[in-house]
Amino acid sequence: MKKSLTGLTALFAALILAGCGNQTQATVSQSQVTDAITAKNYGKAEGLNAAILLDKKDNKTAKATDKQLKAMIDAEDDIRNHDFDKAKTKLNDLIDTKNGSSKLVKLAKSRLKTVNTYIKTTTTYNHLLDDAKKAYSQKDYKTANSALKTLLSETNINEEAYQPIYTAALELQASVATAQGAAASSTASAESSSVAAESSSSSSQSSSSSDSSNPAANSPENKPVTGSTDITDADLANARKDITDLGENPAYWSPNDLKRAILKARSENRTHITMDDLK
């Protein structure tokens, strides 16, 4: 792209000279270059400036402006590629160039403010993401979720410049939700096993009489989720990921909620749940 732009600049300058003969300086002036710079048409400005240099290669202002224009064009490419550190270096070089275009210096300073804002914001967002990653590695899911909530609530987090951070935050959020669900299931299973062990003897002795004398024992509210015995931890993890992909926090739904949603989706021959399945 840069080689192509350089070729176009040279061609533009040559066409100007061919059309102007020996009166290039009278036809192409520094003010025309400044006008193109003011319009932020840096390619045109570079071509006009090159025409001046072809006619008078020792023109101090044109030589300095040529250096500035190349730095500005490169910096704009870096900004489009979100390489803000490189853009900052080139903009500072432009500003420090002597005897060039004061208009370009003014525009470069304005662009530098934008670049510095992106750099500062990126640093802040990366710190939040690192805090969440550290908490997750230590199984401190509450702290991890708090850092992720702060990060994902930023109004500009989904801008293209921050896309890698945004994507990483969403993936980590899903991992935290899955880990929380697994931890909750493990705790519930351990507690259930303990209670079952303590009451197994008395339960076996009284189960027959209790069932016959207590009709509520067979009510729908006290029965397990029908058909849920073949739902694995992997199925639950996938359901939580579906919820995250839908923009919601899966931590708000219990394992039984997820099981019912999975069964509803299966009844309709679907492999992914929707928010309607959770109602």
Side-chain angles (χ1 to χ4, degrees):
M1 176 64 185
K2 290 182 180 179
K3 289 182 179 180
S4 175
L5 183 58
T6 301
L8 288 173
T9 299
L11 176 60
F12 185 70
L15 288 173
I16 291 173
L17 286 176
C20 299
N22 295 323
Q23 297 180 337
T24 304
Q25 280 300 311
T27 305
V28 181
S29 64
Q30 200 68 45
S31 65
Q32 288 177 282
V33 177
T34 300
D35 288 343
I37 290 171
T38 301
K40 298 181 182 180
N41 192 339
Y42 303 125
K44 179 180 179 180
E46 191 177 26
L48 289 166
N49 195 68
I52 295 175
L53 284 172
L54 283 173
D55 184 69
K56 196 172 183 179
K57 61 183 179 181
D58 293 327
N59 186 307
K60 186 183 292 185
T61 300
K63 287 174 69 175
T65 301
D66 180 67
K67 180 181 178 181
Q68 289 177 316
L69 282 165
K70 285 180 169 57
M72 183 60 110
I73 290 170
D74 285 347
E76 290 293 346
D77 284 341
D78 291 332
I79 291 171
R80 278 190 290 273
N81 293 326
H82 310 132
D83 198 339
F84 300 114
D85 288 326
K86 284 185 178 180
K88 181 177 181 178
T89 298
K90 288 164 186 172
L91 289 170
N92 279 322
D93 287 344
L94 187 162
I95 293 168
D96 292 339
T97 299
K98 306 299 182 184
N99 303 314
S101 167
S102 59
K103 184 64 180 179
L104 260 179
V105 170
K106 184 177 180 180
L107 288 171
K109 287 181 178 179
S110 176
R111 273 318 245 162
L112 188 58
K113 288 181 181 179
T114 300
V115 166
N116 283 333
T117 297
Y118 274 116
I119 291 173
K120 182 179 179 180
T121 303
T122 298
T123 300
T124 299
Y125 290 173
N126 274 323
H127 280 161
L128 283 170
L129 182 60
D130 289 341
D131 288 345
K133 287 179 178 178
K134 182 179 179 181
Y136 173 69
S137 69
Q138 296 173 346
K139 298 184 179 181
D140 184 358
Y141 304 130
K142 182 178 180 180
T143 300
N145 268 327
S146 177
L148 289 171
K149 182 178 179 180
T150 300
L151 177 58
L152 293 172
S153 66
E154 294 292 338
T155 56
N156 62 348
I157 186 62
N158 59 352
E159 285 186 11
E160 188 178 353
Y162 310 119
Q163 193 64 40
I165 300 174
Y166 180 58
T167 301
L170 289 177
E171 290 175 349
L172 182 58
Q173 186 182 55
S175 296
V176 171
T178 299
Q180 279 183 309
S185 296
S186 177
T187 300
S189 177
E191 291 175 350
S192 177
S193 296
S194 176
V195 171
E198 292 174 359
S199 60
S200 59
S201 177
S202 59
S203 294
S204 61
Q205 294 174 2
S206 61
S207 60
S208 177
S209 59
S210 295
D211 288 345
S212 59
S213 62
N214 183 14
N218 294 318
S219 67
E221 290 79 9
N222 290 317
K223 289 184 178 181
V225 180
T226 305
S228 64
T229 55
D230 62 339
I231 296 177
T232 65
D233 287 342
D235 293 328
L236 293 176
N238 287 332
R240 293 188 182 96
K241 185 176 186 303
D242 287 340
I243 295 173
T244 300
D245 290 342
L246 292 169
E248 300 290 342
N249 189 340
Y252 296 149
W253 284 271
S254 69
N256 268 357
D257 291 333
L258 299 180
K259 289 178 181 179
R260 291 187 179 91
I262 292 169
L263 291 174
K264 185 175 180 181
R266 287 180 180 176
S267 71
E268 297 177 3
N269 294 320
R270 289 184 285 107
T271 58
H272 294 279
I273 68 171
T274 66
M275 296 308 297
D276 287 339
D277 296 331
L278 293 164
K279 294 180 179 179

